Amino acid sequence: MVELKNVDVLYKESGVDALRDVNIRINDGEFVFIVGDSGAGKSTLLKLLTNEILPTKGRVFVNGYNLSKLKKKKIPKFRRSIGMVFQDFRLIPGMTVFENVAFVLRVTDKSNRFIRKRVPYVLNLVKLADRAKSHPSQLSGGERQRVGIARAFATDPGLIIADEPTGNIDPRLSYEIVELLLDINKCGATIIMVTHEHDLVRYFGGRIINLKNGQVVFDDFIPGESPNSHDEMDDEYYDDEGV
């Protein structure tokens, strides 16, 4: 579960109120889109969830941890409970696809036997089993992001945060990346996806949290255009927020 209670974030150096009185609760197993213009507070929200910064006011809970009271020695364990998918992939160039995914398992002290079973499983899930011996330079942008998703899911985290995961790939492949994240969500992982691509949000629908000037201005479910979307539309979201 992810929960923010009456959270403010004030950057003292610049005097910017990045977040103001934010209250969000995301239950285990949910898939949530976070949207908002540049400067709305999306990056600050992600920094809170990964314990890069602490709130000026309020409390943040992630995966059973109270981040305001988290001791430094427990931060690595906490962060291992989160899988991260990055816009710029962040793959290790000198490693193969298999080795990139295996790396996150090795740093968590998984056995070689476990790695030999787990890595092929997640590569098959993202449809890259035949690219296991390839290096990142030999992959397309979409394939690199699939490796990134496989790496994030490899440790079977309770929460996966995808920060603009479609930002550096062909727009035509963006829908495939979201569908892949939805498939992983069906495996039980909670997914938080930050995106500025409103076409994706319109297509898939679901729960949308819209930030504006550091505040939550919309938090509800909307239908999508895909076959599995919801049946009812929230006109306020489309009309007022322009998505």
Side-chain angles (χ1 to χ4, degrees):
M1 181 188 72
V2 173
E3 188 168 18
L4 285 76
K5 293 185 176 182
N6 306 114
V7 168
D8 291 354
V9 174
L10 170 64
Y11 291 116
K12 294 181 180 179
E13 297 82 2
S14 61
V16 173
D17 283 319
L19 293 176
R20 293 180 290 161
D21 196 30
V22 171
N23 289 277
I24 296 172
R25 180 186 176 97
I26 299 172
N27 293 320
D28 291 342
E30 282 198 79
F31 188 111
V32 180
F33 287 107
I34 306 288
V35 301
D37 295 334
S38 178
K42 303 188 302 297
S43 295
T44 297
L45 177 61
L46 294 191
K47 288 178 181 179
L48 284 172
L49 298 183
T50 55
N51 199 236
E52 292 181 51
I53 62 172
L54 293 175
T56 307
K57 174 188 172 185
R59 293 180 292 171
V60 180
F61 301 87
V62 179
N63 291 345
Y65 292 87
N66 181 344
L67 300 192
S68 297
K69 296 183 178 181
L70 189 62
K71 296 180 180 180
K72 286 187 178 181
K73 64 181 181 180
K74 291 187 177 181
I75 291 176
K77 182 178 179 181
F78 159 70
R79 288 183 176 158
R80 287 197 292 268
S81 74
I82 300 174
M84 292 295 302
V85 180
F86 303 98
Q87 179 178 348
D88 56 356
F89 318 130
R90 301 194 188 180
L91 304 179
I92 302 172
M95 291 186 175
T96 65
V97 167
F98 185 100
E99 290 166 342
N100 266 277
V101 177
F103 180 77
V104 298
L105 297 171
R106 296 191 193 284
V107 298
T108 55
D109 297 323
K110 298 298 183 183
S111 68
N112 288 333
R113 181 180 180 184
F114 179 87
I115 292 170
R116 286 195 299 268
K117 292 181 65 175
R118 181 67 177 176
V119 175
Y121 168 75
V122 294
L123 289 181
N124 185 64
L125 185 66
V126 300
K127 300 178 182 178
L128 284 177
D130 60 339
R131 303 290 263 160
K133 295 182 179 180
S134 300
H135 285 80
S137 62
Q138 298 171 301
L139 306 178
S140 67
E143 288 174 328
R144 292 181 195 180
Q145 195 55 284
R146 286 177 178 273
V147 178
I149 292 172
R151 180 184 56 192
F153 186 56
T155 58
D156 196 20
L159 171 66
I160 292 178
I161 297 175
D163 185 9
E164 298 281 5
T166 60
N168 280 344
I169 64 175
D170 189 318
R172 294 174 298 174
L173 300 176
S174 297
Y175 295 85
E176 294 181 13
I177 293 298
V178 179
E179 286 171 351
L180 179 55
L181 288 170
L182 284 166
D183 286 342
I184 289 176
N185 175 241
K186 292 175 184 176
C187 294
T190 304
I191 309 286
I192 296 176
M193 176 174 163
V194 175
T195 182
H196 67 278
E197 297 190 47
H198 291 171
D199 287 344
L200 290 176
V201 175
R202 275 196 295 263
Y203 181 77
F204 288 101
R207 184 178 173 188
I208 316 299
I209 297 176
N210 195 340
L211 294 174
K212 186 175 183 179
N213 297 325
Q215 295 182 301
V216 176
V217 295
F218 183 91
D219 183 355
D220 209 341
F221 291 84
I222 68 168
E225 300 166 4
S226 68
N228 297 321
S229 63
H230 297 274
D231 294 328
E232 297 179 359
M233 179 183 295
D234 191 307
D235 292 328
E236 177 184 357
Y237 181 72
Y238 284 97
D239 294 342
D240 293 348
E241 302 306 329
V243 173

